[in-house]
Amino acid sequence: MSYLLGVILFAVAIGLSIALHEFGHLLTAKSFGMKATRYFIGFGPRLWSFHRGETEYGIAAIPAGGYVKIVGMTHLEEVPEEDDARAFWRFPAWKRVVVMSAGSVTHFALAIVVLYLAAVSVGLPLDRATVSQVAPCVVPHGEKSGALRDCKPTDPRSPASQAGLRPGDRIVRLDRTKIDSYTQLVTEIRSRPDQTVTLSYVRNGRTQSRSVHLAAVFRAPLSGEKADPKTGLVRVGAVGIAAAPTQKFGALGGVGATGDYTGTLVTGTFTAIKSFPAKVPKLVDALSGQRRDPNTPVSVVGVSRVGGQAIAAGSWLVFLLLLASFNIFVGVFNMFPLLPLDGGHVAILLFEKARSRIARALGRADPGRVDLNKLVPIAFLVIALFGGISLLTILADFVNPIQNPFK
């Protein structure tokens, strides 16, 4: 499949995700009896629309999201007398929370569906410290790119081979450190060059231990490792094993695997959001002509390009994981307690209810609703901040895109 077709396919998948996000709001609002007058994909001038019942469905000119118009979203809105009983703010708090959260819930559901399809069709990446291959040797020096050559007769025998490790062995402990994932194992081994350690592993249901002297080799640095400025390499430990990159699951096994991997993506999303502010300056560096850091944020344009590159390279797994990651990121970010995000509206609603309950418990008058007019400047500030970052990211994706990782 061509790169351009892959880009279009990914962009359509993102558009469908946004449409279903808004449909989540619409469906829950209508199911509770609220009056929804508009369901639009995009903003700005109307390109096409039709009416069904009391709701207008359509597409607008600016493809930057979508919206659902529910009567009485705030108590400041003027509501016709005949619609007063169906105004959004008239409904119980829990129903309003459900409606406001429905968009993010839809994104999470889509991610789970995509990951399950990946699990039963092309497989999911594994992060288990289970040996799939034992290298006969360790190559002392790696290239700056991270690529390794084949073994030569003069290369030292790998510590794993000397210790008698076999494919299928699951490493559970290194010295006194419990090993829960292959990533953790790699980190621990790389931090111990030229050291003797005790590896404990499970083979055929029995736990065994071996004393292993780790090799000292030179490799391209991973995140957090400081390379030699002259060689671009870092001295690390090596044992000479590899783990299976992916595993395909059956219909039932895919359920558990999907749950596990969803948790991994959610954790990764929070980590990425936490480190986001530090990455913004790197976008400015990219616009100044410096080499684009592959870990800088990407826009919808950038992620669509990578999706297209994945399809062109025949990697449906990467395509599906990108789509799932996008949905989880949007689902998490949308629930941040900031206006005008859905999470901001939910936060205000919960604050109002908590404040009212505290007032009743203290025998005081209900303080009433939050004055939304006072929050308008904050909402505009959030829009300006994230809008500016989004434009910066889109510009970087056009001017200096992340290099094709599949070449």
Side-chain angles (χ1 to χ4, degrees):
M1 188 179 291
S2 70
Y3 162 72
L4 180 58
L5 187 56
V7 171
I8 293 174
L9 183 60
F10 199 89
V12 169
I14 290 177
L16 181 61
S17 298
I18 294 172
L20 290 174
H21 170 115
E22 299 303 332
F23 188 73
H25 292 311
L26 180 71
L27 183 63
T28 50
K30 282 182 171 290
S31 67
F32 289 139
M34 301 173 185
K35 185 173 182 179
T37 57
R38 282 189 175 185
Y39 168 85
F40 266 72
I41 303 304
F43 297 97
R46 179 191 295 106
L47 295 180
W48 171 83
S49 70
F50 68 94
H51 283 82
R52 177 166 294 177
E54 61 189 12
T55 306
E56 180 185 11
Y57 301 82
I59 298 175
I62 304 174
Y67 68 95
V68 173
K69 171 61 177 175
I70 303 173
V71 172
M73 283 294 294
T74 72
H75 61 282
L76 300 177
E77 181 182 335
E78 292 187 10
V79 178
E81 185 176 350
E82 63 272 17
D83 294 334
D84 186 69
R86 300 178 63 195
F88 178 82
W89 67 271
R90 289 283 191 188
F91 285 76
W94 72 268
K95 291 186 177 181
R96 285 180 280 162
V97 170
V98 168
V99 173
M100 297 307 301
S101 305
S104 285
V105 171
T106 301
H107 281 296
F108 295 138
L110 285 171
I112 290 172
V113 169
V114 170
L115 290 175
Y116 180 77
L117 291 176
V120 299
S121 59
V122 293
L124 287 175
L126 296 175
D127 192 20
R128 301 173 183 169
T130 301
V131 179
S132 67
Q133 290 181 314
V134 176
C137 78
V138 289
V139 179
H141 283 77
E143 303 294 333
K144 288 185 179 181
S145 63
L148 293 176
R149 57 171 171 76
D150 294 335
C151 288
K152 294 181 178 180
T154 55
D155 291 330
R157 189 181 175 194
S158 74
S161 176
Q162 295 181 48
L165 290 178
R166 302 176 188 172
D169 291 345
R170 179 168 59 87
I171 298 174
V172 294
R173 192 173 294 276
L174 189 151
D175 288 337
R176 296 183 179 181
T177 302
K178 182 181 178 183
I179 301 299
D180 296 314
S181 68
Y182 184 70
T183 301
Q184 180 192 9
L185 177 63
V186 170
T187 301
E188 294 291 339
I189 288 176
R190 286 175 69 97
S191 68
R192 292 171 165 85
D194 203 27
Q195 293 185 23
T196 299
V197 300
T198 299
L199 282 180
S200 299
Y201 55 92
V202 177
R203 176 185 296 172
N204 298 326
R206 295 179 56 191
T207 300
Q208 304 180 39
S209 297
R210 291 285 187 277
S211 180
V212 179
H213 186 80
L214 301 178
V217 298
F218 293 88
R219 297 287 185 264
L222 299 180
S223 177
E225 296 178 340
K226 188 175 181 180
D228 184 292
K230 294 183 179 180
T231 64
L233 302 176
V234 61
R235 185 174 182 266
V236 298
V239 69
I241 62 172
T246 62
Q247 180 177 336
K248 187 176 177 180
F249 298 86
L252 291 179
V255 175
T258 298
D260 291 342
Y261 202 77
T262 299
T264 299
L265 289 185
V266 170
T267 301
T269 296
F270 279 103
T271 301
I273 291 175
K274 181 180 179 180
S275 62
F276 181 83
K279 295 180 180 180
V280 174
K282 295 182 180 181
L283 289 173
V284 179
D285 295 338
L287 290 175
S288 67
Q290 297 184 30
R291 181 183 176 87
R292 178 81 177 269
D293 185 336
N295 293 316
T296 53
V298 294
S299 66
V300 173
V301 174
V303 74
S304 295
R305 290 179 63 132
V306 177
Q309 292 163 355
I311 292 299
S315 181
W316 278 100
L317 174 60
V318 173
F319 182 92
L320 293 173
L321 292 183
L322 281 173
L323 185 57
S325 299
F326 169 83
N327 277 283
I328 287 178
F329 174 82
V330 174
V332 169
F333 181 75
N334 184 59
M335 291 308 296
F336 270 47
L338 298 170
L339 286 177
L341 301 176
D342 291 338
H345 293 284
V346 171
I348 291 173
L349 175 59
L350 295 178
F351 173 77
E352 288 177 344
K353 298 301 293 184
R355 188 172 63 169
S356 296
R357 289 184 178 181
I358 292 173
R360 284 198 303 269
L362 297 176
R364 298 175 181 174
D366 191 332
R369 300 184 181 279
V370 170
D371 186 353
L372 295 179
N373 288 320
K374 294 181 179 180
L375 299 178
V376 169
I378 298 176
F380 276 116
L381 179 62
V382 172
I383 293 173
L385 177 62
F386 288 108
I389 294 175
S390 296
L391 290 175
L392 181 66
T393 308
I394 292 172
L395 185 60
D397 286 334
F398 275 113
V399 175
N400 190 0
I402 293 177
Q403 293 189 358
N404 188 345
F406 300 99
K407 287 185 177 180

